Amino acid sequence: MTVDPTLTLRTPDVPAPESFDDARAAVARLCEIYDSSVKFLSQHFQEVLASSNPTARFRAFYPEIRLTTTSYATADSRLSFGHVAQPGVYTTTVTRPDLFASYLEQQISLLMKNHGVPVVISASETPMPVHFAAANDPNLTIPQDGAMEFSLRDVFDVPDLATTHDNIVNGHGFHYPDGSAPLAPFTAQRVDYSLARLQHYTATAAEHFQNHVLFTNYQFYVEEFEAYARQALGDPDSGYSSFVSTGNIEITDPAAEIATPPKLPQMPTYHLKRADGSGITLVNIGVGPSNAKTATDHIAVLRPHAWLMVGHCAGLRNSQRLGDFVLAHAYLREDHVLDDDLPVWVPIPPLAEIQIALESAVADVTKLEGFELKRIMRTGTVATIDNRNWELRDHSGPVQRLSQSRAIALDMESATIAANGFRFRVPYGTLLCVSDKPLHGELKLPGMASDFYKTQVAAHLMIGINAMEHLREMPLERIHSRKLRSFEETAFL
């Protein structure tokens, strides 16, 4: 069926642009505009789908935050966020203001405090794709192109990859069509895209993700995480309120059973929740830098306070023993998946706050400290590669590079996670556990691996959890290091 190209364009009624000097009221207006757009598109899509005879073209818009400042007033130089670099007009489109309400309120409050000006809330000029409007309605599904009697894009706006990009975080000088500079690191379409991908890859809703994210590359850590979660839920003083398993199965009773989904997603994810979102999320990304990039590409839009890699690695020094820990201070990047976004010549610096939290956690869990920690932990360079069977290649090249870099461990995910943390301005860290020493004749074989897993996984996971609990007590402005910010940054984290 061909749709009449002269169909009248219909849009929802939304409030006129209005200035706000109260952050909570500003977020409430964002929610009002967003909800109006979603309701408009969802209702009309259902009507069109039922009749198969579109009588109009329907378009709704994302809400927008706009800041205009004419002053070079200097904000607190200790802060890495909450202010703009120079006078001008700054905007950002917003999606799911209900999900991001606390974040938005905090960021808007800082702008008002640091610049002494209000923000303007209005509908933007960026159309909302009907797919994203329907994403949170379980009773509404957008059929594939060709499954309807009319072309969907003739009647509604659909996702447009030309406006779904990482140009802001990659430092490509992005500006909105009206010339305004970006106020936040992601556009609304980019956020919506990642929220949809998160549900697909992790089988848990974005609402469950917590501010502290642990990545691992083995299922053994999941079992230990669930055991710890049940213990925490049984302790009324723990501060944890519920545990969410893959498939959005949520329990508050530590004895409750959790049914295993018939099909696990690509990256099973679990959430130990606190009421304010400061709990811990564990993502089993599996093996390889591609998965590591995919997971962090999408979790980044949730603006977590920190993410850490707690996985296994090959120890490269003869003095290391199986079960020893490796605290990454630098990375040799041979994963190749981020080269186009973040060139390999860009250094990925260690973040003092994260490093201290991890080292303190190792000391807390192992009961070793000071010079004695060196018995079980080394700090240094971690090499990340994209070839799991690198041992089968000619050793002269790889081993020489590893030696020249002073690398002490090798894996397939850590540098990717750290580099994407640097790129997305998310504090990052790595604590690995040596599971084999291929250069020294200790390959990961079944019997050896089983004994290793039984004795080390629980301690390693507890170190990661302990580190996150250290970071939870730290003010946000201290965790978000100025090392992560470039010459001209967005005001929002």
Side-chain angles (χ1 to χ4, degrees), residues 425-437:
R425 287 73 165 171
V426 176
Y428 51 85
T430 301
L431 185 78
L432 302 176
C433 195
V434 176
S435 60
D436 62 333
K437 294 167 57 181

Side-chain angles (χ1 to χ4, degrees), residues 310-325:
V310 285
H312 298 164
C313 67
L316 299 178
R317 303 302 180 91
N318 196 39
S319 58
Q320 290 171 306
R321 297 170 299 176
L322 300 188
D324 280 358
F325 298 114

Side-chain angles (χ1 to χ4, degrees), residues 68-74 84-88 90 114-117:
T68 302
T69 177
T70 58
S71 171
Y72 278 98
T74 302
V84 296
Q86 59 188 11
Y90 299 83
N114 289 325
H115 293 285
V117 295

Side-chain angles (χ1 to χ4, degrees), residues 74 105 183:
T74 302
E105 188 174 328
L183 193 57

